[in-house]
Amino acid sequence: MKIPRVVIGMSGGVDSAVSAFLLKRRGFDVIGVHMVNWDSQEEGTSNCPRSKDEFDARNVCEKLNIPFHTVNFVKEYWNDVFLRFLENYKMGRTIVPDIDCNSSIKFNAFHKVAQEKFDADFIATGHYATTSFGDFQQSKIRLFSGRDPLKDQTFFLCTVTQEQLKRAMFPLGSLQKTEVKRIAEQEGFHEVAKKPESMGICFVGKKKRFSEFLDEYIEPKSGKIVLKNGKKIGNHHGIHQFTIGKRINGTFLEERSHFGFFVSDINSETGDIVACEGSHHPNLYATRFLINRPSWISNSDDPFKSHHPSEILCRIQRTHPPVSCLVEYSDENLSVIPRIPLRATAPGQMCVFYTTKNECLGGGEILRILDTL
């Protein structure tokens, strides 16, 4: 009987290291593959530690005595993830590139290489998520939150398809992060166990402010900062430097406020940044917003039909807990009414739906805010 072959994406971090260990302990034929997604020529500006991550991933595979390979997805990442990221920020839209990376690279391009080049039966990653068949065995698949609520990554997996999930394994889904680090130390993966948590967008790097990074790729375009009543209070050099809910740097402003001014809207047509006073201004809290028709993990036309409205929750940021919501249909789009007003809801963000039993149903992109407090 053929032992199932699992190709695992080795990032060079503790999560993929422990995932590879668990897979090998289960008796799978494991192959480690490191993905190169960002052009090394860009590292001079972004400081993305590719060489260090690749070195650490190789060392883990050598300790586990499993094959190690590197695959290059720089072109795919640039075209399918990074360019879309830039185009959205040019329009003042706040998208999450991690979602596109999972959809286009980790669960598409990587899956194809794993199957075609390495003859994989399954493809594993270090995501904190679970499925209806547990961490290792896959069949008709449903996606559930990981056991560790602080590390759950189903938000970033909301556009993954049923076919992709059938091939996927998440060995860490039933573990807490503390358990993962403990296993890493026990098995001698001291180097990766001590590495700092990977936070933010890798290609931005650690030494640059986000706005400075964007200025390297997006041409400045001056505009006004105005209040909702149209009063001008400042000037800016590009709407790509602003996101809804963030405090406006005082260097852009002609007026001062004890409470500070915050971005409440971005008008891509006029180039105006609309500001409000105070971090808890009513204009910052969305009570209704429009999203496009979601990508459903179940491949169903409408999974809402199999769930009572009281069982449906939504989330617009990974770090926020899901909240109860009502969903109304509007032509090809959906209108979402959260039971609790959501601060800093922005076009381009993903609205991800869950059930009260922690099943991730899928998500749709926020098109515009319809009402605020």
Side-chain angles (χ1 to χ4, degrees):
M1 181 177 177
K2 179 180 179 292
I3 298 174
R5 173 169 290 176
V6 181
V7 170
I8 176 166
M10 299 295 296
S11 67
V14 66
D15 294 333
S16 60
V18 172
S19 295
F21 163 74
L22 294 173
L23 289 165
K24 180 160 188 191
R25 189 174 68 176
R26 280 265 179 158
F28 291 108
D29 175 14
V30 184
I31 296 176
V33 179
H34 179 71
M35 286 173 268
V36 178
N37 297 331
W38 188 245
D39 192 336
S40 60
Q41 293 180 354
E42 301 289 340
E43 290 176 16
T45 58
S46 71
N47 198 38
C48 224
R50 167 186 162 186
S51 57
K52 172 63 175 170
D53 287 341
E54 188 174 332
F55 177 81
D56 289 339
R58 185 184 297 274
N59 275 351
V60 168
C61 289
E62 288 177 354
K63 286 183 179 180
L64 291 174
N65 194 28
I66 63 175
F68 175 81
H69 301 272
T70 299
V71 293
N72 189 305
F73 294 131
V74 168
K75 180 180 178 180
E76 292 86 346
Y77 190 90
W78 182 274
N79 291 332
D80 299 337
V81 180
F82 189 63
L83 289 183
R84 180 172 131 78
F85 164 83
L86 290 180
E87 287 304 313
N88 275 270
Y89 267 83
K90 286 179 185 177
M91 298 185 291
R93 305 181 80 249
T94 308
I95 70 165
V96 184
D98 287 350
I99 293 176
D100 285 339
C101 182
N102 281 328
S103 177
S104 300
I105 308 300
K106 293 181 181 177
F107 288 81
N108 186 20
F110 182 53
H111 275 219
K112 289 178 181 177
V113 168
Q115 290 179 297
E116 295 170 5
K117 185 175 180 179
F118 300 110
D119 195 27
D121 297 299
F122 299 102
I123 299 94
T125 58
H127 287 95
Y128 287 80
T130 60
T131 70
S132 50
F133 276 76
D135 298 344
F136 296 93
Q137 183 182 358
Q138 310 294 316
S139 181
K140 178 67 177 177
I141 220 78
R142 293 158 68 196
L143 181 66
F144 290 88
S145 300
R147 182 179 163 219
D148 189 333
L150 297 178
K151 294 301 300 178
D152 171 55
Q153 291 171 305
T154 51
F155 183 89
F156 299 128
L157 300 173
C158 64
T159 60
V160 173
T161 68
Q162 182 74 189
E163 289 305 309
Q164 291 168 339
L165 274 180
K166 285 180 180 179
R167 300 188 294 265
M169 284 188 177
F170 305 114
L172 304 186
S174 298
L175 298 177
Q176 300 276 354
K177 182 73 176 192
T178 52
E179 296 175 276
V180 171
K181 289 196 170 185
R182 177 179 55 78
I183 293 171
E185 291 286 1
Q186 287 178 346
E187 298 306 317
F189 305 136
H190 304 299
E191 188 68 24
V192 296
K194 294 175 182 176
K195 288 178 78 169
E197 195 79 5
S198 177
M199 302 293 288
I201 303 170
C202 178
F203 54 70
V204 175
K206 300 177 181 178
K207 295 183 179 180
K208 285 189 181 295
R209 292 171 55 191
F210 187 58
S211 60
E212 291 175 349
F213 172 81
L214 289 175
D215 280 342
E216 295 177 357
Y217 294 92
I218 300 176
E219 185 177 351
K221 189 174 181 180
S222 299
K224 297 180 295 182
I225 300 174
V226 300
L227 297 178
K228 195 171 185 179
N229 62 11
K231 179 184 177 182
K232 178 176 171 292
I233 62 170
N235 298 285
H236 66 83
H237 305 300
I239 61 174
H240 61 274
Q241 297 177 329
F242 298 86
T243 53
I244 290 176
K246 294 295 179 67
R247 185 168 186 149
I248 300 174
N249 191 312
T251 58
F252 294 114
L253 299 170
E254 300 166 353
E255 291 192 13
R256 294 291 181 267
S257 165
H258 176 73
F259 300 103
F261 287 103
F262 292 77
V263 180
S264 63
D265 194 14
I266 300 174
N267 190 323
S268 60
E269 294 183 3
T270 64
D272 289 347
I273 298 296
V274 183
C276 61
E277 194 172 2
S279 62
H280 296 291
H281 193 282
N283 289 352
L284 296 175
Y285 290 84
T287 56
R288 181 192 294 259
F289 51 89
L290 194 70
I291 69 171
N292 63 9
R293 189 58 63 100
S295 300
W296 298 124
I297 290 172
S298 65
N299 285 348
S300 166
D301 290 335
D302 188 355
F304 289 157
K305 292 180 180 177
S306 58
H307 297 281
H308 191 273
S310 63
E311 298 178 315
I312 302 300
L313 311 172
C314 72
R315 170 190 271 169
I316 62 167
Q317 295 184 34
R318 185 192 76 83
T319 54
H320 293 179
V323 300
S324 298
C325 65
L326 292 176
V327 179
E328 298 176 348
Y329 291 86
S330 174
D331 297 324
E332 291 299 311
N333 303 316
L334 301 181
S335 178
V336 180
I337 307 167
R339 301 280 190 180
I340 302 173
L342 298 177
R343 187 185 184 280
T345 305
Q349 286 178 326
M350 191 67 71
C351 175
V352 182
F353 294 101
Y354 294 81
T355 70
T356 50
K357 296 181 179 179
N358 293 323
E359 180 179 359
C360 179
L361 300 174
E365 200 169 282
I366 298 174
L367 300 176
R368 66 177 183 271
I369 311 308
L370 299 176
D371 295 303
T372 58
L373 281 176

